[in-house]
Amino acid sequence: MKSSAELYNAAVGRQLRAEIAAAGSSIAAMARDAGIARSALDNYVTGKRAIPVPVVYTVCAIVNVPPHLVLARAEERLSADTAGAAGTLTALRRPNVTALGDDVREVAFESRLPHDGDTDDLYQ
């Protein structure tokens, strides 16, 4: 079982990876921009190695996100992971769905245009 420090480090790594992706960058490009080895950055964001504080600051400066915000987001991520909180499930509503093979004209959205050329029967 991982220690709480290892779990936190992994959460920070996942958050850094998310921030890098949100900035439209990749691990390889970020490593070049930060001046560190790509394999090292990959080990940091996957939680395989402890992330040095200077690396956190450097990546945060490049993606233009304050380090304290990244750490706070990582803390939220860790809390959600350790609490075992499940996501909210929303039941799909399927009103007026006909059985397969029923020849019923369908309109995907409200429109003033006629739908005489309905082709839904072609896909059964």
Side-chain angles (χ1 to χ4, degrees):
M1 184 161 159
K2 290 187 175 184
S3 69
S4 58
E6 291 169 322
L7 293 173
Y8 183 72
N9 181 70
V12 172
R14 288 192 309 274
Q15 190 60 44
L16 278 178
R17 185 181 329 149
E19 300 294 347
I20 291 167
S25 188
S26 66
I27 298 301
M30 182 57 60
R32 278 191 305 273
D33 293 344
I36 60 176
R38 185 202 142 312
S39 59
L41 185 57
D42 190 56
N43 285 332
Y44 299 147
V45 300
T46 58
K48 294 177 185 173
R49 304 268 324 235
I51 306 168
V53 173
V55 170
V56 173
Y57 272 76
T58 301
V59 170
C60 288
I62 294 170
V63 298
N64 198 27
V65 176
H68 72 275
L69 186 56
V70 170
L71 297 177
R73 290 173 179 168
E75 183 71 32
E76 290 174 13
R77 182 182 292 265
L78 181 61
S79 294
D81 289 348
T82 57
T88 303
L89 297 178
T90 303
L92 295 176
R93 296 182 307 148
R94 297 181 56 112
N96 304 325
V97 175
T98 59
L100 183 62
D102 287 348
D103 191 16
V104 177
R105 293 177 99 46
E106 297 176 355
V107 177
F109 56 90
E110 295 297 323
S111 172
R112 292 177 292 188
L113 300 174
H115 294 278
D116 295 332
D118 187 30
T119 60
D120 67 327
D121 291 338
L122 297 175
Y123 300 102
Q124 292 184 14

